[in-house]
């Protein structure tokens, strides 16, 4: 279970005073959340070459380097800040292993928002019941198609909102920090995105 905001605030205060144990606890307690985010977002074409644990280690090493500046300013909550560094690592990996090669042969790159199929199915499972009959595979293929269609029909912000809340399981406060939007806008977008996704999953226009 993620640390509550009060505990994180206290650990950050102790870290600012030079308590190394608080720094270590902050990183240790958020390690699994980072790994889950990386597994979720990692392009399947990189899965055989990139170990999420290695990306976590690189992320935390960079976070240690940037920590003094973060502690002095604290522009966003702690986990969204860590996640931002992990996202930068994933972006660099994608550019190094996929985007550059595809550009070299003149092919179009997949949409930056596209999720691995497993993550798409997990998102679908949050909103509809999974089938268990012999045709389950066909049902799940149809679910993937519908979720892709639903995500494509949403704005980039609304898409990210759903992924952050229901797959990465960020709190509303953390998700707002990642998206850079206020509480009222978040609530409106959240409701609209859920309604749109459910309509598409149910076969409505």
């Amino acid at each position: 279970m993620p640390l509550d905001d009060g505990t994180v605030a206290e650990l950050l205060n102790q870290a600012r005073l030079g308590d190394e144990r608080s720094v270590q606890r902050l990183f240790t307690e958020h390690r699994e959340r980072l790994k889950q985010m990386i597994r979720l977002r990692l392009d399947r074409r990189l899965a055989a070459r990139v170990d999420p644990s290695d990306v976590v280690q690189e992320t935390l090493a960079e976070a240690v380097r940037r920590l003094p500046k973060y502690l002095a300013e604290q522009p966003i909550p702690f986990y969204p800040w860590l996640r931002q560094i992990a996202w930068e690592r994933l972006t660099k990996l994608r550019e190094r292993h996929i985007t550059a090669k595809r550009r070299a042969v003149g092919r179009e790159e997949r949409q930056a928002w596209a999720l691995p199929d497993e993550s798409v199915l997990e998102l679908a499972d949050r909103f509809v019941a999974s089938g268990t009959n012999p045709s389950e595979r066909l049902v799940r293929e149809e679910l993937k198609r519908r979720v892709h269609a639903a995500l494509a029909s949403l704005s980039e912000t609304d898409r990210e909102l759903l992924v952050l809340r229901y797959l990465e399981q960020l709190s509303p406060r953390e998700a707002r920090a990642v998206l850079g939007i206020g509480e009222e806008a978040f609530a409106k977008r959240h409701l609209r995105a859920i309604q749109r996704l459910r309509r598409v999953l149910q076969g409505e226009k």
Side-chain angles (χ1 to χ4, degrees), residues 33-44 46-47 50-56 58-59 66 79 82-99 109 112 114-116 168:
R33 293 188 78 189
L34 282 176
K35 186 181 290 188
Q36 174 62 20
M37 173 266 184
I38 291 163
R39 285 173 178 159
L40 170 69
R41 299 287 189 162
L42 188 64
D43 191 295
R44 65 177 179 271
L46 291 176
V50 177
D51 186 337
S53 295
D54 292 339
V55 183
V56 170
E58 294 168 2
T59 297
R66 300 187 193 182
Y79 178 70
L82 272 182
R83 182 193 175 281
Q84 187 176 62
I85 298 173
W87 184 264
E88 291 171 5
R89 297 299 307 164
L90 288 176
T91 300
K92 289 179 181 178
L93 286 168
R94 183 182 179 86
E95 289 174 349
R96 184 187 312 155
H97 294 287
I98 297 176
T99 306
E109 177 60 8
L115 294 168
E168 293 192 37

Side-chain angles (χ1 to χ4, degrees), residues 169-184:
Q169 298 183 23
L170 270 65
S171 69
R173 177 170 176 262
E174 291 172 335
R176 291 198 303 270
V178 171
L179 296 171
I181 60 178
E183 187 173 354
E184 183 177 352

Side-chain angles (χ1 to χ4, degrees), residues 183-195:
E183 187 173 354
E184 183 177 352
F186 180 87
K188 290 179 179 179
R189 285 182 174 275
H190 186 205
L191 178 60
R192 181 178 62 200
I194 289 175
Q195 290 174 337

